[in-house]
Structures are given as structure tokens and as C-alpha cells.
Amino acid sequence: MLHYVARRLLLMIPTLFIISLLVYMIINMPPGDCVTAQIDELLARGDVDALARAGELRALYGLDHSVWYRYVHWLGGVFRWDFGLSCQDTVPVKDLMGERLVLTIVMESCTIIFIWTVSFVIGVYAATHQYKLGDYAASFIGFLGLAIPNFLLALVLLYVGKVYFGVSIGGLMDPEFIEKPLSWPKVVSVAQHLVIPTIVIGTAGTAGMIRRLRANLLDELQKQYVVTGRAKGLSPLKLLVKYPLRHAINPFVADIGHLLPEVVSGSVIVSVVLSLPTMGPMLLTALKTQDVNLAATFLLFVAVLTVIGMLISDLLLAALDPRIRFGAAGEK
């Protein structure tokens, strides 16, 4: 297993290198750059000296060099924890991300835990109570979650909260804690405000995983070894946990690596709708203004978490299912 893990870790290096190259080049593909957007904004405000400052701004952000030179310079800075300057307020990317990145990690972690917990409980219950009221309720929740876009659900909750309860559910903390240092009251405020975004973002992922877990578990419960276990007098709970459930959650565990990018992409528009101070709105603005350093850094961070998640899912699959062996194909 150590040989397998070492090989996977080594494969991560070229994988992340290719991802960073593709991300950086794709962001640079549209015509213009972040200075073009800034100059257009200054001209719209009536600043007659805006065009004269274009060359100075391009030199400041390194845009007077070729795209390959900028990519190599940015990639070299990644290893020094220096991601270059952002076109937003002309500050280093690492300083601009700051608390937003921490809040993003907290929110995405809570969302993933919510998806796993709710999907596991409802999926197992629906499979073990097939064609009963609970199964139909789980199916209804699944279809509803798949049909309703996250941003629409966020808008509905905003309206209901404001009109019927007189409260605003936007943001991730009370206004008095914004730009304040970390404290226990601030942590409590963030925890209270995390409930709505977690439910909104996790709804679609939960719906899909409920359907997959239910289908896989139903398939396992119909197999011969389950019938044999019942005939030998095994208790229903022991029979469920020891054999079919372990096999049925294989796709459930395999989704770990894919779940993170799905949650991140689903949270961008929701963060804008709910006014969440996370990386979602900042990433959207960076892509619109071609702030390459900021957008590429955040997407590279997501890629790192994704490949790590894929490795964790493979290790967990081997631990859950004895039929899976590392390097089995190479041993034949």
C-alpha cells in the first residue's frame, strides 16, 4: 500500500502541473486583460488620463510579458506561497483571499458533512423500507432536490425569511463581526449563519447520492448471500451492516473526489445570492475581469483538494471492500 500511495503522490505532480497550465491559459484566452477592464471603467467615469496609465498598470501586473513568462513566474511563486498581485485593489493574492478562503473551507466542509450524513441515513432507510411511505418521501426529496436549482431555493428562502419572519438570512455572520478579529461570539455567529447556505448548497448533492445509495443497496439486498444470511438466522441489522451495506457504499465513497468541485461550482451563484463573504463571488469577479492570478490560484487550490480527495476515496474503497487490491492489475 505504501508503494501505491507513493506512486499516486508522484502522479499528483504532473497532474496538478497540467491543470494549472490549462487553467492559466484558458483564463488568458479571451481578448484583453484586467487592465483593459480597469481602463474602460476609468474612461466611463470621465478620467481623460486613463489611457496614459495603461502601460504603467500592465508593467505593475507583469502583463507586458508573454503569457508563458507570466505562467512560469506565477507557478514559481506558488512554491514560495507568493501568488502575485491581484488586479482587485492591487494587493497580493494571498492577502486578498485571507479570511474568505477560511470561510469557504468551513462552509464547504459543513456542506459535504451534511450531504454525506443526510444521504446515508435517508438512502439506507429508503432501501430497507422499499415501497413504503418513507421510501416515497425519500424519492420525493430526491426528485425535488434535483429539479430545483440552488440559487432559486436561496431566493425563495430569502423571501420567506424576510416577508414571513422579518429576518435576513444573508451573509455568514452578523454585520458587527465583519473585519473583526476571531472571537467566540464571531464563531457562534458564523455557525448560526451556516445552516441556510449548507442546506441550500447541499440539496442537489444530497438528492443524487440518496438515489445512488438506495439503488445500490436494493441491488445488494436481492443477492444470494443475503438470502443465505437470513436463512442462517443473522439479525437484520448485523446482516445489513456486515455485508450489503459495505458493498453498496462503494460508489458513495468513490464520490469523495468528485463531490468537492461540484460543491464549489454550486456555491458560486448561491454565495452571490446570499451575499456570502466566501471565494465564490470573488472568483466570479476575477473571471469576469480576467484577474488571472486570483482565479488561477483558487482553481489550483480546488484541484489540489480534488486529487487528494480522489486518493482518500481510493484508500477507503480498499478498506471497505476486500475485493479491491492495490496494484492487482499489475500482479496478473
Side-chain angles (χ1 to χ4, degrees):
M1 188 179 71
L2 292 177
H3 177 72
Y4 172 81
V5 173
R7 187 171 70 249
R8 286 292 298 271
L9 290 175
L10 290 176
L11 285 174
M12 286 182 185
I13 298 175
T15 301
L16 292 175
F17 171 76
I18 295 174
I19 291 175
S20 66
L21 178 62
L22 291 175
V23 166
Y24 202 91
M25 295 303 170
I26 290 174
I27 298 175
N28 276 284
M29 285 180 65
D33 48 43
C34 63
V35 173
T36 304
Q38 291 186 18
I39 296 302
D40 291 341
E41 183 178 351
L42 291 175
L43 290 174
R45 295 177 181 177
D47 188 346
V48 295
D49 298 327
L51 292 176
R53 297 173 54 192
E56 179 183 346
L57 289 174
R58 285 193 171 89
L60 176 64
Y61 299 130
L63 297 175
D64 52 342
H65 298 285
S66 67
V67 63
W68 289 104
Y69 176 88
R70 284 183 276 135
Y71 168 73
V72 172
H73 185 266
W74 171 78
L75 186 63
V78 169
F79 297 99
R80 304 189 305 270
W81 204 250
D82 179 13
F83 308 108
L85 286 177
S86 169
C87 294
Q88 300 182 26
D89 301 325
T90 317
V91 296
V93 170
K94 61 180 180 180
D95 296 336
L96 190 62
M97 294 172 69
E99 187 180 38
R100 284 179 175 260
L101 183 59
V102 175
L103 291 174
T104 301
I105 294 174
V106 171
M107 188 180 72
E108 309 301 354
S109 300
C110 292
T111 303
I112 291 174
I113 293 173
F114 170 82
I115 291 174
W116 284 341
T117 304
V118 174
S119 301
F120 184 82
V121 173
I122 297 180
V124 172
Y125 180 84
T128 54
H129 296 76
Q130 188 180 18
Y131 302 137
K132 295 184 179 180
L133 181 60
D135 185 25
Y136 289 123
S139 299
F140 175 75
I141 293 173
F143 291 132
L144 197 64
L146 291 172
I148 300 178
N150 289 340
F151 69 90
L152 181 59
L153 180 59
L155 289 172
V156 171
L157 291 178
L158 279 174
Y159 176 81
V160 171
K162 188 65 176 178
V163 174
Y164 294 98
F165 298 98
V167 295
S168 176
I169 61 175
L172 274 182
M173 65 187 73
D174 294 328
E176 61 266 23
F177 295 113
I178 298 177
E179 298 183 357
K180 294 291 183 65
L182 184 64
S183 62
W184 180 247
K186 184 174 182 178
V187 172
V188 174
S189 178
V190 171
Q192 292 173 344
H193 285 75
L194 271 175
V195 176
I196 297 300
T198 298
I199 294 175
V200 171
I201 299 171
T203 301
T206 301
M209 294 189 79
I210 288 173
R211 304 300 302 166
R212 286 194 295 272
L213 180 58
R214 177 185 179 276
N216 293 330
L217 188 54
L218 282 174
D219 181 61
E220 291 294 330
L221 289 174
Q222 304 301 321
K223 292 186 176 179
Q224 188 62 42
Y225 71 88
V226 178
V227 178
T228 303
R230 289 199 191 100
K232 289 185 175 182
L234 288 177
S235 65
L237 180 60
K238 184 177 180 180
L239 179 63
L240 174 68
V241 174
K242 191 173 183 180
Y243 298 109
L245 186 58
R246 290 182 62 183
H247 298 162
I249 63 176
N250 281 1
F252 195 81
V253 175
D255 279 344
I256 293 176
H258 303 284
L259 190 59
L260 180 66
E262 290 178 5
V263 170
V264 171
S265 61
S267 66
V268 173
I269 304 300
V270 174
S271 298
V272 175
V273 173
L274 294 178
S275 302
L276 304 179
T278 60
M279 286 300 302
M282 186 175 289
L283 173 63
L284 186 61
T285 302
L287 293 173
K288 289 169 58 178
T289 60
Q290 290 183 265
D291 191 347
V292 181
N293 290 339
L294 178 59
T297 300
F298 181 69
L299 294 176
L300 178 61
F301 176 76
V302 174
V304 170
L305 294 182
T306 301
V307 295
I308 293 175
M310 295 294 293
L311 175 61
I312 294 174
S313 68
D314 289 344
L315 296 176
L316 290 177
L317 281 173
L320 288 170
D321 193 340
R323 297 172 297 181
I324 298 175
R325 290 291 180 267
F326 297 120
E331 296 172 359
K332 292 181 179 180

